[in-house]
Every structure is written in structure tokens, then in C-alpha cells.
Amino acid sequence: MENRIKIEDLKKMSYTEFISFAHQWNIPPGSFVTLNEWTIFSRINKDSRILEIASTTGFSSREIARITGCSAVGIDICSSSVERAQFNHQLYAKNLDLEYICMDACDYKSEKKFTHIILGASLGFFENPEKMINNLKELLEDDGMILVSPYYLKGDKLPKDLIEKTKKVIEINPTNFDYYEAIKPYENFEVLYENRKEIIPETEEQMEKYSRDTINTACKFHNITDEKIIEYMYQRMYEIKNICNELHKYLGYSVIVLRYRKNIYPNRYVELF
């Protein structure tokens, strides 16, 4: 039966609601390359127990579980994102031990500790980043790992018009600070691994293919055949992709593995370089 959703319904969707509806996988900076670095340098294996913070549609936890066979829990405050993560679990990783929960990650508690927590580039989205960091300590095993990939400015500040476009399209305040400010929230943890990265912007052809493939697949799942609706979804997805691509011209990111040791935290006894 054809889906009766209207363009007006899609326009009312927030950014997170739309990318969930559009089946966007919503990757961390670096996508699969970052996942592989985290997996190797934090020694994730089949016995690991992972928590993904701000899991959106479940990409990082699901795909690391596919690589290693580990178990994972994902937390996100957006109900539609959690529903999509659960859908993706059944579609792409049905036999893996994955759970996705809708709640504020700052308030999440677990009797069983985690060996690894994936934070990616999400810390800046929390109203109280310090509260989130403090909760990580309560959720981690001793010697547990925190996996982050923060963005930072390579040089000049973002143009004001790009900041405003970003707020309008993806509803966030984009990263507009340097490397040292980006890593400061993690200064009390040990740095076991770090790899700073440059971003090569995608071509128009690459962005078009990604946007078209994503939307065509979403429309099949939702049984959408109306060409006007399909085109609206494509244009909105391309706009999202394009604004991210513009931001990437100004940004770098770093793939980092941090360690929490109770008898050392919050002190640093090892020089960074």
C-alpha cells in the first residue's frame, strides 16, 4: 500500500526526525576508517561490552559489533532515531546482541559496567558536557576505554553565513574552535592513541550519489512512489550533505582512544608527546 505521507509532513520534521525517516546511517567523522582505528587500538573483541552515546541510527555500535562480535547498547534522546536503530539492527545485524534505548544519556545508569564507550563527536551536543563526562566514569570498567572523534578548526573561524545556514539545515551550532579547545574536556583521561585527520571535501557527483541512493532506499522501505515527494526528500538530503561538505573545508578531526584508570584519574603522569 502506498505511503500517504505529504511534503508538508516532511517539512515539519526536525533534522533528526528527517534523517531517521530517510534511513541515513549518520556516521562519526571518518566513517568506517574511524571504526576500524577505534576497534584495533582499543582492542575491542567478542567479549567487549560497548555503550554508544548519542547513537542516532546505531551505525557505530552496530558496525563495530559486526566486525568483532561484541555486545552493545545505544542511547539516544530522539525516539525516531532509536526506532531506526532498532530497525537497522534487525535488518543488518539480526544475530548480534544489540539494544537501543531512548533516554538522556546523562541520566543513564547500568549495573553492569562497559569496557568501551563510544562518544564520537557528540559531546558538544549536550547541554551539560561535564555531567556527561562524569557519567562516563560511572559506566566504565576500571581500565575502560572512551572512543572520541572531535572536530576542530584547521585555521580561520567559520564564516557567519555558514554558521547560520548550518543552524537552519542541521539545527546545531557547528564547531568553531581550535584543536586545544576540542580536546580539553578529555584532559583527565589517558591518551592511548590519537590520529589527527584532514578532510577532503566530496565532489558534487559523490554527494549526489550518496543522497540519491539513501533516499531511493528509504522510499522503498516506506513504499513512497510519488515523484514530488521523492524529489523533495532528495533535495533535503542533498542540502544536508552539502552543508556538511562546506563545513569540512574548515575542519579537521582526531580519532582518539582514551583510558579511564581509577587510581590515576584525574591526574596525568605521561607526557602527550
Side-chain angles (χ1 to χ4, degrees):
M1 185 176 178
E2 184 176 355
N3 193 307
R4 295 186 179 277
I5 194 165
K6 300 176 181 178
I7 290 178
E8 290 73 20
D9 300 324
L10 294 167
K11 288 181 177 180
K12 291 176 183 177
M13 291 182 181
S14 67
Y15 164 74
T16 53
E17 290 169 338
F18 178 74
I19 64 171
S20 299
F21 185 80
H23 289 253
Q24 189 188 42
W25 281 22
N26 210 8
I27 62 170
S31 188
F32 282 113
V33 176
T34 295
L35 299 193
N36 278 289
E37 288 185 75
W38 281 340
T39 298
I40 292 167
F41 292 103
S42 71
R43 302 174 184 85
I44 299 174
N45 59 46
K46 63 180 179 61
D47 297 318
S48 299
R49 176 173 159 80
I50 291 177
L51 174 65
E52 183 181 6
I53 301 295
S55 54
T56 66
T57 55
F59 173 79
S60 295
S61 50
R62 183 184 71 247
E63 295 302 315
I64 287 178
R66 282 175 54 85
I67 294 169
T68 65
C70 69
S71 62
V73 175
I75 305 292
D76 200 279
I77 202 166
C78 176
S79 60
S80 59
S81 294
V82 172
E83 289 172 7
R84 189 56 50 200
Q86 293 167 342
F87 178 89
N88 289 339
H89 172 205
Q90 294 302 311
L91 185 63
Y92 300 113
K94 188 174 182 179
N95 296 325
L96 294 174
D97 183 6
L98 306 176
E99 181 183 7
Y100 293 98
I101 301 168
C102 183
M103 68 174 298
D104 187 336
C106 289
D107 299 322
Y108 177 68
K109 306 297 179 188
S110 175
E111 292 183 5
K112 190 173 182 181
K113 304 290 187 180
F114 295 91
T115 59
H116 298 74
I117 296 179
I118 301 170
L119 196 55
S122 67
L123 186 63
F125 299 139
F126 287 90
E127 290 185 8
N128 190 339
E130 186 177 353
K131 182 180 178 182
M132 186 68 255
I133 290 289
N134 288 334
N135 198 30
L136 297 183
K137 306 197 306 288
E138 302 301 317
L139 294 166
L140 271 175
E141 291 183 356
D142 193 16
D143 274 0
M145 307 289 183
I146 302 172
L147 312 177
V148 300
S149 53
Y151 283 115
Y152 54 85
L153 286 174
K154 293 186 294 186
D156 295 336
K157 293 278 190 178
L158 297 175
K160 289 183 179 179
D161 64 329
L162 181 56
I163 294 173
E164 293 307 311
K165 287 179 183 177
T166 303
K167 289 179 180 178
K168 180 181 178 181
V169 174
I170 58 178
E171 301 167 6
I172 63 165
N173 287 308
T175 299
N176 203 20
F177 43 77
D178 65 16
Y179 167 79
Y180 294 102
E181 188 172 346
I183 65 169
K184 184 170 178 54
Y186 313 110
E187 64 184 356
N188 294 328
F189 299 100
E190 295 175 289
V191 180
L192 296 194
Y193 174 81
E194 181 174 15
N195 189 0
R196 300 179 202 175
K197 308 273 193 173
E198 289 232 8
I199 304 173
I200 300 175
E202 294 183 63
T203 66
E204 186 172 331
E205 181 181 5
Q206 289 171 327
M207 292 191 293
E208 286 175 352
K209 175 173 173 50
Y210 168 83
S211 301
R212 188 65 72 186
D213 288 351
T214 299
I215 294 306
N216 285 346
T217 300
C219 288
K220 288 179 182 177
F221 283 138
H222 293 297
N223 199 22
I224 295 172
T225 59
D226 187 312
E227 290 297 330
K228 290 182 179 180
I229 293 176
I230 294 171
E231 186 60 20
Y232 171 82
M233 292 177 65
Y234 165 76
Q235 292 296 338
R236 184 168 178 182
M237 180 58 68
Y238 183 87
E239 184 181 33
I240 291 168
K241 186 64 182 170
N242 188 51
I243 203 74
C244 292
N245 206 46
E246 287 299 310
L247 289 170
H248 290 166
K249 295 175 182 178
Y250 297 87
L251 300 175
Y253 69 97
S254 190
V255 180
I256 306 175
V257 175
L258 305 163
R259 180 170 62 189
Y260 169 62
R261 286 202 280 181
K262 288 182 181 179
N263 62 353
I264 290 178
Y265 186 92
N267 301 300
R268 173 173 286 160
Y269 301 130
V270 177
E271 295 173 280
L272 291 175
F273 304 102

